[in-house]
């Protein structure tokens, strides 16, 4: 499913934003600087010339570098939305080769009449539904405006140097795109002019990630943080009503995972909802900008300790059962255990994560010869998979094949055969 396409980013403690140093500072650091759109940018090599503005019709490598990491731009891409990279030469070459796919971006709210920007209590600016929205309704699709190699944050030790590189990259974006990106600097309950988020903080608050894939004889990581400014309007919830994935063209797509009522907030999960409640809540406090624990119902229990205790127990049991269901040779899996898993997933309102759950249920029912239940949950897995990963995702294709002939699938009575139990009438 498409976090597979996208895994949650590693969380690191970040400090406050480092202010841009002036030209006098650049001399101390041995960095060349120049004015670009009335903002100072820096290059790690004072002997190389720096173009004041990149070309608008092609890819361009700037001379703004720190070690092996440089700023690359393409201001024409995605109907002049633009894209900037902070990465290594090999990784830049990969993105350049898929430019034709990036040009296919939709970059839109699918039906703007259904949603409204609204100030969300304890969270900041978010989205709410103007009217009831059905499950499976596409909400948005956006192309990225920034890719940053994850190793930058380990290889470039000084935060000031990273900040200069990242800010320079954002300064190259077209005006409208840069303005959209800068909206993410706002912190809930703070004056953005006095306490703006740094770019590092923005990346960790919205930890979308892609792996550009290994090249020939490549040993280093190709994982990048990837940013879609408009998506930041979805606030976090550990039990979200919207699912998302990043497709093969690097488009971020969102779809309603369960029916949304008029006036209800539209939310996504920025962190794995299967993590323990304390870990989720601490992450929200640390990275989402409010410096407060997660305010969602799954983390507050509507201020009912008994409800929280029950939810914590349910989640622990879900993860425990999932481990058994993923083990094809587990001796603990029974029909009642699978039934229990299904019930808990529904009780915890994890609709945005149903695809994997229903796939596991379908396969394990089939292992035990329950072909009717296997067919039911395979069909449900297809429906959920379309919401969470798109109609052409590998999981959806596989489940469609499975659902078309559950008894002909390798998994039919797999466990029973291993236990030496013969099929009735044979």
């Amino acid at each position: 499913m498409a976090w597979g396409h996208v895994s949650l980013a590693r969380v690191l403690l970040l400090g406050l934003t480092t202010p841009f140093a002036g030209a006098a500072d650049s001399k101390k650091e041995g960095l060349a600087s120049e004015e670009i759109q009335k903002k100072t940018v820096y290059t790690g090599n004072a002997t190389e010339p720096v173009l004041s503005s990149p070309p608008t019709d092609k890819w361009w490598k700037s001379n703004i570098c720190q070690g092996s990491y440089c700023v690359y731009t393409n201001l024409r891409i995605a109907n002049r939305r633009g894209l900037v990279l902070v990465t290594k030469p090999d990784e830049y070459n990969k993105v350049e080769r898929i430019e034709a796919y990036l040009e296919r971006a939709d970059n839109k709210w699918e039906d703007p009449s259904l949603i409204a920007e609204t100030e969300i209590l304890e969270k900041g600016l978010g989205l709410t539904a103007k009217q009831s929205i059905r499950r499976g309704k596409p909400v948005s699709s956006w192309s990225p405006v920034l890719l940053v190699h994850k190793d930058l944050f380990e290889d470039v030790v000084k935060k000031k140097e990273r900040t200069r590189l990242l800010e320079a990259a954002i300064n190259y974006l077209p005006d409208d795109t840069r303005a959209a990106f800068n909206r993410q600097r706002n912190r809930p309950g703070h004056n953005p002019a006095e306490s703006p988020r740094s770019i590092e903080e923005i990346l960790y608050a919205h930890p979308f990630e892609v792996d550009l894939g290994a090249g020939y004889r490549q040993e280093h990581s190709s994982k990048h943080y990837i940013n879609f400014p408009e998506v930041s309007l979805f606030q976090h919830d550990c039990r979200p009503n919207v699912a998302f994935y990043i497709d093969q063209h690097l488009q971020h797509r969102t779809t309603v995972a369960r029916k949304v009522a008029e006036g209800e907030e539209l939310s996504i999960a920025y962190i794995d909802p299967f993590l323990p409640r304390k870990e989720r809540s601490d992450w929200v406090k640390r990275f989402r900008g409010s410096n407060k624990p997660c305010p969602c119902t799954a983390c507050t229990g509507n201020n009912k300790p008994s409800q929280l205790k029950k939810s914590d127990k349910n989640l622990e049991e879900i993860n425990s059962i999932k481990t058994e269901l993923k083990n094809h040779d587990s001796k603990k899996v029974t029909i009642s255990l699978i039934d229990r898993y299904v019930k808990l997933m529904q009780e915890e309102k994890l609709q945005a994560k149903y695809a994997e759950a229903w796939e596991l249920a379908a396969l394990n029912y089939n292992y035990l010869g329950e072909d009717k239940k296997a067919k039911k949950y395979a069909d449900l897995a297809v429906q959920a998979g379309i919401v969470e990963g798109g109609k052409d995702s590998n999981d959806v294709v596989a489940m469609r094949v499975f659902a078309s002939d559950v008894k002909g699938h390798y998994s039919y009575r797999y466990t029973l055969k291993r236990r030496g139990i013969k099929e009735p009438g044979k």
Side-chain angles (χ1 to χ4, degrees):
M1 201 263 350
W3 289 74
H5 5 98
V6 176
S7 60
L8 280 165
R10 192 174 36 204
V11 269
L12 301 174
L13 180 60
L14 300 174
L16 294 175
T17 180
T18 303
F20 259 81
D25 258 354
S26 69
K27 294 176 182 177
K28 293 179 184 178
E29 299 286 340
L31 301 172
S33 66
E34 66 166 348
E35 291 295 321
I36 293 183
Q37 298 172 341
K38 298 183 180 181
K39 294 189 180 182
T40 307
V41 298
Y42 297 80
T43 172
N45 188 335
T47 65
E48 292 187 271
V50 181
L51 297 179
S52 59
S53 56
T56 59
D57 61 344
K58 61 183 179 180
W59 282 101
W60 176 68
K61 175 190 174 183
S62 76
N63 291 321
I64 303 173
C65 301
Q66 193 69 52
S68 59
Y69 299 94
C70 293
V71 174
Y72 301 85
T73 73
N74 187 321
L75 305 187
R76 180 198 65 227
I77 208 163
N79 196 26
R80 300 199 176 278
R81 175 174 167 87
L83 173 64
V84 292
L85 318 176
V86 180
T87 192
K88 300 176 181 180
D90 287 350
E91 304 303 320
Y92 154 69
N93 289 334
K94 294 176 187 176
V95 178
E96 186 182 31
R97 286 195 293 269
I98 63 171
E99 178 181 352
Y101 295 100
L102 294 170
E103 290 287 6
R104 301 176 186 177
D106 296 328
N107 288 323
K108 65 180 182 179
W109 299 105
E110 297 292 343
D111 188 346
S113 69
L114 295 179
I115 57 177
E117 291 189 13
T118 308
E119 195 68 25
I120 308 296
L121 184 65
E122 296 187 82
K123 293 184 177 182
L125 191 63
L127 295 172
T128 55
K130 289 183 178 179
Q131 61 188 66
S132 176
I133 308 177
R134 64 172 175 80
R135 177 177 182 260
K137 176 73 174 177
V139 181
S140 65
S141 57
W142 300 101
S143 68
V145 305
L146 173 67
L147 270 80
V148 181
H149 201 298
K150 288 189 68 177
D151 289 352
L152 170 77
F153 302 99
E154 294 182 3
D155 294 344
V156 179
V157 178
K158 292 184 179 180
K159 185 175 181 181
K160 181 182 288 188
E161 294 173 351
R162 300 194 303 267
T163 298
R164 287 172 175 168
L165 195 62
L166 293 168
E167 293 288 354
I170 294 304
N171 283 334
Y172 277 129
L173 287 170
D175 290 349
D176 289 347
T177 306
R178 188 172 65 255
F181 182 91
N182 284 335
R183 291 187 75 190
Q184 299 174 96
R185 296 184 187 269
N186 298 344
R187 299 176 191 273
H190 291 76
N191 184 337
E194 296 176 356
S195 180
R197 276 178 172 151
S198 70
I199 295 174
E200 287 195 29
E201 290 175 308
I202 289 170
L203 294 176
Y204 283 103
H206 313 94
F208 302 118
E209 181 183 310
V210 292
D211 191 332
L212 297 180
Y216 179 63
R217 292 183 178 176
Q218 179 177 310
E219 296 180 358
H220 61 76
S221 169
S222 287
K223 291 183 179 180
H224 288 67
Y225 292 116
I226 185 168
N227 186 261
F228 312 84
E230 296 81 2
V231 176
S232 67
L233 284 170
F234 290 98
Q235 290 291 348
H236 169 78
D237 198 296
C238 296
R239 300 293 182 267
N241 50 24
V242 174
F244 71 86
Y245 64 96
I246 298 174
D247 69 15
Q248 69 270 32
H249 304 147
L250 299 187
Q251 280 199 77
H252 186 290
R253 297 184 178 274
T254 55
T255 307
V256 174
R258 63 171 170 79
K259 185 178 179 181
V260 179
E262 181 179 351
E264 185 179 354
E265 176 191 355
L266 279 80
S267 59
I268 63 176
Y270 285 99
I271 189 170
D272 186 352
F274 293 103
L275 290 173
R277 172 169 53 90
K278 185 179 186 308
E279 192 171 336
R280 301 193 313 267
S281 190
D282 287 350
W283 180 87
V284 169
K285 180 178 180 180
R286 195 174 183 182
F287 294 103
R288 289 295 293 166
S290 65
N291 200 33
K292 295 179 181 179
C294 182
C296 80
T297 303
C299 289
T300 63
N302 290 320
N303 297 315
K304 297 178 181 178
S306 60
Q307 185 173 322
L308 280 178
K309 187 176 180 180
K310 181 181 179 182
S311 180
D312 290 346
K313 184 178 179 181
N314 284 350
L315 200 60
E316 185 177 346
E317 190 175 356
I318 285 172
N319 287 325
S320 176
I321 296 175
K322 186 193 296 185
T323 299
E324 296 301 327
L325 297 182
K326 286 185 173 182
N327 178 4
H328 297 180
D329 298 319
S330 174
K331 296 179 180 179
K332 297 180 180 180
V333 176
T334 61
I335 293 172
S336 61
L337 187 72
I338 308 169
D339 290 345
R340 175 67 176 164
Y341 178 64
V342 168
K343 180 182 178 182
L344 288 171
M345 285 292 297
Q346 294 169 331
E347 191 173 314
E348 283 301 306
K349 298 180 180 180
L350 286 159
Q351 288 94 336
K353 294 293 181 182
Y354 272 178
E356 181 190 31
W358 297 164
E359 181 177 336
L360 284 172
L363 285 170
N364 279 274
Y365 278 131
N366 219 35
Y367 290 154
L368 297 174
E370 291 288 320
D371 54 292
K372 291 182 180 179
K373 285 188 174 182
K375 174 73 165 73
K376 172 184 175 180
Y377 282 94
D379 288 337
L380 290 174
V382 169
Q383 295 173 24
I386 292 172
V387 169
E388 298 173 40
K391 62 183 178 63
D392 297 321
S393 66
N394 291 339
D395 290 341
V396 168
V397 172
M399 278 292 101
R400 277 183 171 142
V401 172
F402 174 88
S404 67
D405 184 11
V406 293
K407 286 188 175 182
H409 194 263
Y410 83 89
S411 60
Y412 183 62
R413 303 191 79 254
Y414 172 87
T415 298
L416 297 180
K417 292 173 185 175
R418 290 180 64 84
R419 293 175 183 174
I421 301 175
K422 294 182 179 181
E423 191 171 358
K426 291 188 179 180

